[in-house]
Amino acid sequence: MLFNTIKNTTSSISVIAICFVSLAILYFSIQEHEKLYFESVKGDLDALSENMSSDLVPMLAVQPDEFELATILLRLDPYDNVKYAFIYDDKWHPLQSYHGKALTQVKSKSYAQYEGVKTKLPGVYVDNDELVALKLVGDELFPLGYLRIVLDSSGPLNKSKQSLLKQVLPITLVLLIVVFAFLLWVQARLFFPLSRLSRIAQKIQKTHDYSLKINIKGKQEVTSLSTDLNFMMETINQETQKNKKYTNKLMEQQKAMERLANFDGLTGLPNRQFFMETLRLQLSKAKRENQNLVLMYFDLDGFKGVNDSFGHEVGDLVLLEVCNRCKSILREGDLISRLGGDEFLILLHNDPNELELLQLSERLVSGLNKPFHIRSWEVQIGVSIGIAQAQDSHFNVCEFFSNADFAMYRSKMAGRSRHTVFVPEMMEENKRRLLIANSIANAIKEDEFDIHYQGKVNSDAVVVGYEALIRWKSDTLGTISPAEFIPIAEQSGKILSITKWVIEKVCQELEQVLALHDNTIVVSLNLSAFDIKNIALVDYIKDTFTRYKVETSNIEFEVTESAYLDNFELANQFISQLREMGCSIALDDFGAGYSSLGYLTQIELNTLKIDKQFVDNLNVSVRSTLITKTIIEMAKQLNLKICAEGVETREQANFLISNGCHQLQGYFFSKPASLKTLLAN
Ligand code: C2E
Ligand code: CA
Ligand code: CA
């Protein structure tokens, strides 16, 4: 405490030094006083005893008279510090004694001391707090006697010292206080600028305001210190300003980088990385708390077609609008992210129940199914949704993600614009799908495929054509329906080899099929939506037809609506070329999935094939009946031929014929059969 500041240290040292010096002075004064005191008392005693001894000479020269001797000794009466006195004869026999005021106790030893005194030389000396004067009466050669006076030296000396202290101490104390006060005042004055500096430093520390100016007057050191400090502060201030600028710039850059790293540039939605990171965290949290999480994976249907037909700018605007629509449909807390392209992910908040999930999915599907009005264009797309639950994927992020992806793929396969919830059984199917996909190439090599032909009849039940349908009898997997392996081939990129195989095979067998009937008949081939995107296939078809000398008027190609959906322009180009070759075109499965009547006028068709589901429901559902009637009516207006597929009963056939359907196809008339069987009948 005392020495922790310069001020305290210097004050303490000064006070200690002053006290020490004062005490030293006091000590030496007392010493000096004692010396002087002794000297004066000794002098007085010497004079007095000298006087008394010379007065004793005449008395001791004769027979001494006790009374006279006593009178001499009584001269000591006025002196308070006389203890006792003795007058001895020349043989040291005491002749007379005197007891003074200072003698408090008669000590026999003191009296007896004269024995020892005999050996002492006359003079004045100090002996055990006593001042002793020993005088020779008479001459050294003829001593007459001795005079011994003993004074108390300590008592009076102490008294004298006390009285000295009494006089000196108050003055000393007052002086000390004055000196201390003066010292403190000087120090305070000297240190005042320093404490001001310290206060300013504290203020700067608190406010971080380095622009504060220090203006302190004081001794030269303080002034130069404050100038130096000002200089230093200015430098700090400049550096701080610079730093602030850099920091701001850095922070902006960091924010921009974070945005780039975590958010999609177009829609501003969290990107894949951010989403997957969040998903990972949420999954481990859900696992800990034993809760479920729901992930939605969605992919826009026909978006590529939008980009190809309207350009990327319109495509981008569609994506923005998709993002806005989704946001308005989703609940607060649902996290939507753009994975890239036309794929989005949604992490649903609060584990919604089945009904909520259904409602949300339906709202998304119908919300995105509504036309988008962008720059005077009306753009139509759809959405296929896959939904997965964390518990089904054992809270594994990769499994969770791929389950949702798989369910989405199922939605696409099931005809788009729908949602599919992943169930673990799907994984088993997936294994089979992989097996099928991997067996296709070998199946072609091993000639496991075959073509069956299903007849199409006119209203008079006369065969007017055949639809070529592929069949697969696998050595390892058994008989596999095209309804199963065609979509797998499409997804795994193996459809082209199948299509080529079918074209080749039909061309090979065409002559024999045609020969079955007298009238001109048409053989229909199915093309996958994936085939239509591959314009090079047209050349293959041309080549094969040339090789087999195929009359193109005997060939019809069946394509589905979905072929147009993805890329209208490309599909139309493909179809136009087939038409130019002389082949006819049928739109397959009409009314089944996604239907936009709008483009019917824009594509060059010959036939509309009404999907089996409407035929199935004829006379069962009023709505289906009405739709079928309308489709037939509309096709007539558009100058299209109508073929109804999946006709299984006479009633269906009658209804369709009476409503003006041109062609009928179905088990009621004939089941698909191999050429061998057909030839055999
Ligand atoms: P699709 O083009 O709609 O062919 C009609 C399907 O309905 C055929 O099934 C046919 O056997 C079946 N069918 C015809 N009439 C009836 C009926 O009265 N009742 C019932 N229940 N079914 C009937 P399939 O042969 O199993 O073919 C399924 C689908 O596989 C075809 O549907 C077609 O999309 C595709 N497919 C078949 N062969 C080929 C092919 O060579 N290439 C391509 N790309 N797809 C093919
Ligand atoms: Ca077909
Ligand atoms: Ca069909």
Side-chain angles (χ1 to χ4, degrees):
M1 255 307 269
L2 272 183
F3 297 99
N4 56 3
T5 62
I6 300 179
K7 199 175 158 187
N8 284 357
T9 310
T10 52
S11 317
S12 309
I13 290 175
S14 311
V15 168
I16 291 169
I18 290 169
C19 288
F20 184 74
V21 170
S22 308
L23 283 175
I25 291 171
L26 201 64
Y27 175 75
F28 288 118
S29 313
I30 290 169
Q31 291 292 311
E32 197 55 31
H33 172 78
E34 206 176 303
K35 218 166 111 192
L36 287 174
Y37 175 85
F38 266 117
E39 233 127 81
S40 96
V41 174
K42 245 166 124 180
D44 287 353
L45 185 61
D46 195 28
L48 180 69
S49 53
E50 198 59 53
N51 257 343
M52 284 168 69
S53 65
S54 45
D55 288 350
L56 279 172
V57 173
M59 290 176 203
L60 293 186
V62 292
Q63 185 66 31
D65 174 33
E66 274 188 36
F67 181 72
E68 279 181 350
L69 291 178
T71 319
I72 291 286
L73 286 177
L74 278 176
R75 281 200 218 162
L76 294 170
D77 252 10
Y79 303 97
D80 289 341
N81 51 342
V82 177
K83 280 177 131 178
Y84 53 88
F86 280 91
I87 299 170
Y88 307 90
D89 63 10
D90 57 340
K91 301 284 181 301
W92 286 97
H93 294 129
L95 299 176
Q96 187 58 283
S97 65
Y98 169 81
H99 294 174
K101 288 174 196 150
L103 187 71
T104 46
Q105 219 180 349
V106 178
K107 289 182 204 154
S108 53
K109 205 180 161 209
S110 299
Y111 283 111
Q113 259 179 2
Y114 70 89
E115 284 298 334
V117 173
K118 282 183 216 173
T119 58
K120 291 219 164 136
L121 289 174
V124 178
Y125 52 87
V126 180
D127 184 18
N128 281 338
D129 287 349
E130 289 172 339
L131 194 60
V132 182
L134 187 65
K135 292 283 169 181
L136 173 76
V137 184
D139 193 66
E140 264 178 62
L141 293 173
F142 303 102
L144 297 174
Y146 299 92
L147 170 67
R148 183 169 160 244
I149 305 170
V150 177
L151 262 67
D152 174 20
S153 70
S154 65
L157 177 65
N158 286 343
K159 258 187 215 156
S160 160
K161 275 190 209 163
Q162 272 167 16
S163 81
L164 174 76
L165 281 175
K166 261 183 208 157
Q167 281 172 16
V168 172
L169 267 183
I171 299 167
T172 316
L173 278 176
V174 169
L175 268 174
L176 272 178
I177 288 167
V178 170
V179 168
F180 288 154
F182 178 70
L183 192 77
L184 289 177
W185 178 75
V186 169
Q187 265 193 341
R189 268 203 66 125
L190 281 177
F191 283 103
F192 178 69
L194 283 181
S195 40
R196 261 196 73 193
L197 260 180
S198 143
R199 271 200 301 276
I200 290 176
Q202 280 166 8
K203 194 173 166 190
I204 290 167
Q205 202 183 7
K206 239 185 245 165
T207 57
H208 293 278
D209 181 5
Y210 298 106
S211 61
L212 276 178
K213 280 275 163 292
I214 300 171
N215 192 10
I216 292 170
K217 298 257 170 342
K219 299 278 170 222
Q220 199 186 344
E221 294 93 326
V222 175
T223 321
S224 73
L225 178 64
S226 76
T227 318
D228 288 347
L229 280 178
N230 271 336
F231 197 66
M232 188 179 83
M233 295 254 298
E234 213 174 282
T235 318
I236 292 177
N237 197 23
Q238 280 168 2
E239 287 301 311
T240 316
Q241 296 299 336
K242 252 192 240 164
N243 269 351
K244 230 185 225 167
K245 257 190 220 159
Y246 281 136
T247 315
N248 284 348
K249 219 185 208 172
L250 273 177
M251 267 159 68
E252 268 167 33
Q253 279 174 346
Q254 195 182 339
K255 264 188 203 157
M257 266 162 68
E258 264 171 28
R259 254 201 315 276
L260 278 179
N262 291 319
F263 293 90
D264 171 46
L266 175 67
T267 57
L269 291 178
N271 63 11
R272 183 192 200 102
Q273 182 186 314
F274 182 89
F275 187 87
M276 292 310 266
E277 204 46 54
T278 314
L279 186 63
R280 225 166 258 137
L281 289 174
Q282 293 289 326
L283 265 180
S284 45
K285 185 171 170 252
K287 191 179 179 181
R288 268 200 316 276
E289 294 170 3
N290 201 21
Q291 280 181 334
N292 204 4
L293 276 184
V294 180
L295 180 67
M296 269 188 174
Y297 189 146
F298 76 72
D299 183 291
L300 301 178
D301 302 327
F303 180 72
K304 199 179 172 299
V306 175
N307 265 344
D308 293 342
S309 323
F310 303 101
H312 285 268
E313 242 176 89
V314 173
D316 283 354
L317 293 172
V318 169
L319 284 176
L320 275 174
E321 180 61 19
V322 165
C323 161
N324 287 340
R325 285 191 194 178
C326 287
K327 278 184 187 163
S328 70
I329 292 166
L330 291 172
R331 307 155 312 158
E332 208 173 301
D334 293 340
L335 177 70
I336 178 167
S337 143
R338 183 177 168 217
L339 276 192
D342 57 350
E343 292 179 6
F344 294 81
L345 274 176
I346 302 167
L347 182 61
L348 294 178
H349 160 78
N350 258 357
D351 187 19
N353 61 34
E354 238 172 86
L355 182 68
E356 285 171 327
L357 203 55
L358 180 80
Q359 286 170 342
L360 196 65
S361 309
E362 278 178 353
R363 278 214 302 278
L364 278 170
V365 169
S366 65
L368 296 182
N369 228 343
K370 286 185 195 126
F372 290 77
H373 296 280
I374 284 155
R375 290 197 184 153
S376 78
W377 297 103
E378 186 181 296
V379 180
Q380 181 73 51
I381 52 165
V383 64
S384 297
I385 303 178
I387 298 167
Q389 311 207 16
Q391 278 165 358
D392 289 334
S393 45
H394 315 100
F395 297 93
N396 175 295
V397 75
C398 292
E399 217 178 314
F400 196 22
F401 184 77
S402 86
N403 287 354
D405 182 21
F406 189 60
M408 190 273 291
Y409 164 78
R410 292 284 293 245
S411 290
K412 283 248 186 248
M413 284 304 96
R416 307 172 170 218
S417 276
R418 65 188 67 216
H419 77 272
T420 308
V421 179
F422 177 89
V423 284
E425 293 76 55
M426 285 180 184
M427 262 5 264
E428 280 307 308
E429 289 173 37
N430 201 31
K431 273 186 208 154
R432 181 173 160 85
R433 288 172 52 82
L434 281 174
L435 204 60
I436 289 174
N438 291 333
S439 310
I440 290 172
N442 196 49
I444 291 177
K445 220 164 80 192
E446 300 293 320
D447 210 18
E448 289 179 355
F449 290 116
D450 193 15
I451 297 285
H452 279 200
Y453 297 89
Q454 185 180 32
K456 293 178 184 179
V457 299
N458 64 13
S459 49
D460 299 325
V462 177
V463 174
V464 289
Y466 284 100
E467 179 175 0
L469 296 160
I470 193 169
R471 293 291 175 262
W472 183 7
K473 223 178 201 166
S474 160
D475 275 351
T476 47
L477 295 158
T479 304
I480 310 158
S481 156
E484 185 180 8
F485 73 80
I486 292 293
I488 296 172
E490 286 176 335
Q491 284 301 313
S492 56
K494 297 195 166 124
I495 189 65
L496 189 65
S497 56
I498 291 180
T499 305
K500 282 182 177 173
W501 183 89
V502 171
I503 292 167
E504 173 109 31
K505 188 76 178 171
V506 169
C507 287
Q508 269 175 25
E509 298 181 346
L510 187 67
E511 217 181 307
Q512 289 171 280
V513 176
L514 294 177
L516 287 169
H517 299 275
D518 298 332
N519 57 328
T520 5
I521 55 162
V522 173
V523 175
S524 307
L525 289 135
N526 287 288
L527 284 181
S528 143
F530 288 78
D531 295 328
I532 307 274
K533 292 173 198 162
N534 182 5
I535 206 89
L537 186 63
V538 178
D539 294 333
Y540 176 84
I541 295 171
K542 268 186 198 161
D543 279 358
T544 321
F545 283 181
T546 320
R547 251 192 303 135
Y548 289 95
K549 298 191 179 69
V550 169
E551 189 63 63
T552 49
S553 59
N554 291 130
I555 300 290
E556 183 184 61
F557 286 100
E558 294 190 6
V559 293
T560 54
E561 285 174 291
S562 57
Y564 284 92
L565 213 69
D566 278 348
N567 192 336
F568 184 86
E569 285 298 315
L570 209 60
N572 219 8
Q573 210 184 327
F574 193 105
I575 299 303
S576 297
Q577 292 198 28
L578 294 184
R579 292 258 311 188
E580 275 165 26
M581 281 164 61
C583 304
S584 43
I585 305 293
L587 191 64
D588 207 355
D589 306 336
F590 187 77
Y594 169 90
S595 275
S596 170
L597 300 178
Y599 63 77
L600 276 185
T601 51
Q602 296 171 43
I603 54 177
E604 299 174 70
L605 287 179
N606 303 91
T607 308
L608 207 64
K609 286 188 85 176
I610 300 174
D611 192 69
K612 183 176 176 297
Q613 72 180 35
F614 294 107
V615 178
D616 284 345
N617 288 320
L618 284 179
N619 298 324
V620 181
S621 142
V622 183
R623 191 170 166 265
S624 270
T625 316
L626 201 70
I627 290 175
T628 312
K629 269 185 180 178
T630 315
I631 292 174
I632 296 171
E633 218 33 63
M634 188 194 64
K636 278 183 195 161
Q637 303 270 318
L638 292 170
N639 249 337
L640 297 175
K641 257 195 207 135
I642 316 253
C643 174
E645 53 181 351
V647 182
E648 290 178 344
T649 64
R650 177 171 296 282
E651 289 73 37
Q652 289 168 347
N654 286 345
F655 177 90
L656 289 161
I657 291 167
S658 66
N659 275 282
C661 190
H662 306 101
Q663 292 178 2
L664 303 144
Q665 180 188 3
Y667 293 172
F668 179 66
F669 301 103
S670 62
K671 284 198 172 178
S674 65
L675 178 64
K676 221 169 144 195
T677 320
L678 289 181
L679 290 172
N681 288 331

